[in-house]
Amino acid sequence: MFAIVCRRGLKVLLNNNFVPPRNTAWFRLCSSSVCINASEKSFTISSYLVNSCGLSSEDAISASKKLCSIKSPEKPDAVLKLLREYGFADANHIPRLIIRWPTVLLASPNKTLLPKLKFFRSIGVPLPVLAHKLSVQPSILTRSLENSIIPSYNYLNSLLGSHERVVLAFTLSPKVFGHCWTKGVPSNVSMLRERGVPHSTIVWLVLYMPSLLLVSKDKLDGYISRALEMGFDVCRRRFVLAIGVFIDLTESTLEQKKEVYRRCGWSENDIKAAFLRYPNIMKLSEKKIMANMDFLANVLGCDRDAIVQSPAFLGYSLDKRIKPRCLVAMILSDKGLKSMTSLVTLLTLSENRFLKRYIVEYEKDIPELLDIYRGKSSPP
């Protein structure tokens, strides 16, 4: 209050050309008050987020609403220093982390963040992986180390059989540490085993579809029964994919996808047969279904039965896989270097195998073939 009065008085006196002696107590008190106020005003959290954290002005304004209590850079500087020591880069990791979890700048570096970062390093998570994954899934750092993260690690380690696999699970999907896996998951795993699902499939589930194991036991039991009634084999990965479809899509969405296939001339038996071979056909967008179906049928001459037998074709990228591979095969065939193989073989080969068989083997004959395949050069 006195500082306000002091500043007002100083303004009036200065306007009247009054300048007090610099060594007086009155001058020292007033000038000190002004300097303190100016110092406080010089720090704004939004500018700090832009200049020190790399956020855009728009993101900084949004994040600053949750950081009003920060009045100086000391604490956030300490947080940033720790993050950088653990591989978080200024260019991408730190902005991404703060946008997703602004209040990380309010966290205690030594009490809240450091123990968790040390733990993940202790189990073998590489620094680049740690920074990338935690910047995408920062909620993990909000969980209790003793009550959530360590119990989850212990359970995952016993289920997967090695800490290397736990690290792989974290690398593929850090959300495995976003929940306490000792709650609910063990009963779901037991149920899967009772239904005859092999351990190898359960391991695959943890690595590639961990969210499936977080579904309530009653719902998961119902999805398993539905998949078995449709004819899925519990020993095949398609069984797990089918359950994933039932979890992710509502009944109305499933019906809408079926209607898309009906418009393409498929019967109910066609839809069921294709679903049994490749359950994810129900997750494809209508645009993708129609575009791939049109190219396969009208350009490549595939009939309906051929597509039903190989429904995974509908999930491939038209511009990055189907068209470039067909173009390369056509060029090799036209030059008499390689006879046309079956479309199934052509499209289902892994990228490395395709490059070896169709590109590397003929690079002496057609040096530009790789550039043609990658769209950097036009065909001759």
Side-chain angles (χ1 to χ4, degrees), residues 249-260:
L249 303 183
T250 64
E251 289 302 315
S252 61
T253 301
L254 283 171
E255 184 57 34
Q256 289 172 8
K257 294 300 173 67
K258 288 181 181 179
E259 182 57 32
V260 175

Side-chain angles (χ1 to χ4, degrees), residues 120-345:
F120 284 114
R121 285 293 292 134
S122 72
I123 65 173
V125 179
L127 282 179
V129 173
L130 185 66
H132 175 66
K133 296 301 177 180
L134 290 181
S135 65
V136 174
Q137 197 82 27
S139 61
I140 296 169
L141 292 172
T142 68
R143 305 192 69 81
S144 167
L145 180 63
E146 292 77 14
N147 299 325
S148 180
I149 294 176
I150 291 177
S152 292
Y153 167 77
N154 290 335
Y155 179 73
L156 287 166
N157 191 36
S158 65
L159 186 62
L160 298 175
S162 70
H163 73 270
E164 289 85 3
R165 280 184 172 177
V166 178
V167 172
L168 176 59
F170 176 87
T171 302
L172 294 171
S173 180
K175 65 177 64 175
V176 295
F177 282 94
H179 303 270
C180 187
W181 277 60
T182 58
K183 299 177 181 179
V185 174
S187 61
N188 281 344
V189 170
S190 296
M191 181 180 63
L192 288 168
R193 286 172 174 157
E194 291 170 2
R195 290 295 198 108
V197 179
H199 180 71
S200 59
T201 299
I202 294 174
V203 168
W204 188 88
L205 257 177
V206 174
L207 294 175
Y208 299 101
M209 295 180 66
S211 57
L212 188 148
L213 293 172
L214 300 172
V215 176
S216 70
K217 185 176 180 179
D218 289 342
K219 285 186 177 181
L220 183 58
D221 187 42
Y223 297 141
I224 291 172
S225 296
R226 184 175 179 181
L228 292 175
E229 289 169 2
M230 291 189 69
F232 283 97
D233 183 348
V234 294
C235 295
R236 303 292 295 274
R237 201 158 291 163
R238 297 168 185 171
F239 166 77
V240 174
L241 296 177
I243 294 175
V245 170
F246 298 147
I247 290 173
D248 293 340
L249 303 183
T250 64
E251 289 302 315
S252 61
T253 301
L254 283 171
E255 184 57 34
Q256 289 172 8
K257 294 300 173 67
K258 288 181 181 179
E259 182 57 32
V260 175
Y261 290 107
R262 292 188 192 105
R263 294 205 307 268
C264 294
W266 286 23
S267 66
E268 294 300 319
N269 286 337
D270 291 334
I271 296 172
K272 181 179 178 180
F275 183 70
L276 285 170
R277 290 183 175 88
Y278 181 60
N280 283 346
I281 62 167
M282 292 301 175
K283 290 186 174 183
L284 304 176
S285 68
E286 179 177 351
K287 181 179 179 181
K288 187 175 184 66
I289 294 169
M290 300 302 291
N292 283 25
M293 196 84 77
D294 178 67
F295 187 83
L296 290 167
N298 298 325
V299 177
L300 300 182
C302 297
D303 58 27
R304 187 191 70 240
D305 290 341
I307 301 173
V308 170
Q309 291 295 317
S310 301
F313 289 174
L314 298 175
Y316 292 156
S317 170
L318 190 59
D319 294 323
K320 295 181 180 180
R321 189 183 189 101
I322 298 178
K323 288 182 178 179
R325 290 194 179 191
C326 290
L327 176 60
V328 167
M330 181 185 69
I331 291 172
L332 293 176
S333 177
D334 288 346
K335 290 185 174 292
L337 296 172
K338 187 178 182 67
S339 60
M340 293 291 286
T341 56
S342 73
L343 190 62
V344 173
T345 301

